[in-house]
Amino acid sequence: MILERVDNMFEELKSIINNAYTPISNYKVASIIVTKDKKIYKGVNVEDASLRAGTCAERNAIFAGITDGLKKGMIESIHIMVSSGKIGKPCFVCRQMIVEMCDEDTLIRCYSTNGDYEDYKVSDLCPHPFDENDLN
């Protein structure tokens, strides 16, 4: 694990969380993906009046990585911060995308805005994933 990069994520998340576009819920989320080759991809949540047309911060960051050539297994860690002051975890739509792109032992660190955090592995958040094995 790139521990130095992981330790710096709190400040980086705080610097982008207010870029989230949340005119309805005002529930801002920021996410940063760190790859095994030290690249980072950032995302924030984006909502609109229909609510279903927006996207979550985690998927936004993953999609940015995919646009740049990110493939399954290249993610070292995912960092998430929510604006509520609590420690937030990925929604189930995001968990599905995380399962698609990460190894089961990939670190997911969930932060509060005051610096508290909880660490999970993908297998902790998704103990019974729906994946490519279910499609055969």
Side-chain angles (χ1 to χ4, degrees):
M1 178 172 19
I2 308 168
L3 210 44
E4 178 181 317
R5 297 293 300 155
V6 170
D7 291 341
N8 293 330
M9 289 300 115
F10 175 74
E11 292 302 324
E12 290 193 47
L13 288 164
K14 283 199 68 127
S15 76
I16 65 169
I17 196 165
N18 287 320
N19 294 339
Y21 181 72
T22 60
I24 298 155
S25 71
N26 200 36
Y27 184 79
K28 298 176 184 304
V29 183
S31 181
I32 298 175
I33 305 294
V34 179
T35 67
K36 292 175 182 174
D37 63 352
K38 302 179 185 177
K39 290 183 182 178
I40 65 170
Y41 299 100
K42 299 176 182 181
V44 295
N45 59 322
V46 178
E47 64 185 32
D48 62 14
S50 72
L51 293 179
R52 301 183 96 184
T55 190
C56 299
E58 300 92 328
R59 287 183 293 131
N60 200 348
I62 291 171
F63 296 162
I66 291 170
T67 300
D68 194 42
L70 182 72
K71 304 285 188 240
K72 182 174 178 72
M74 294 172 69
I75 296 173
E76 179 180 81
S77 58
I78 299 176
H79 304 267
I80 303 158
M81 178 183 286
V82 301
S83 63
S84 70
K86 299 178 182 178
I87 295 174
K89 294 170 209 58
C91 75
F92 280 88
V93 175
C94 288
R95 291 180 197 206
Q96 180 62 44
M97 184 55 61
I98 289 168
V99 165
E100 298 279 339
M101 296 303 296
C102 297
D103 298 326
E104 62 182 33
D105 64 344
T106 299
L107 170 68
I108 300 175
R109 181 166 283 176
C110 303
Y111 301 81
S112 72
T113 52
N114 65 11
D116 295 329
Y117 65 87
E118 295 175 357
D119 286 342
Y120 300 93
K121 293 180 182 177
V122 171
S123 60
D124 297 329
L125 293 178
C126 309
H128 306 287
F130 179 85
D131 61 19
E132 65 273 1
N133 295 319
D134 292 297
L135 299 176
N136 296 327

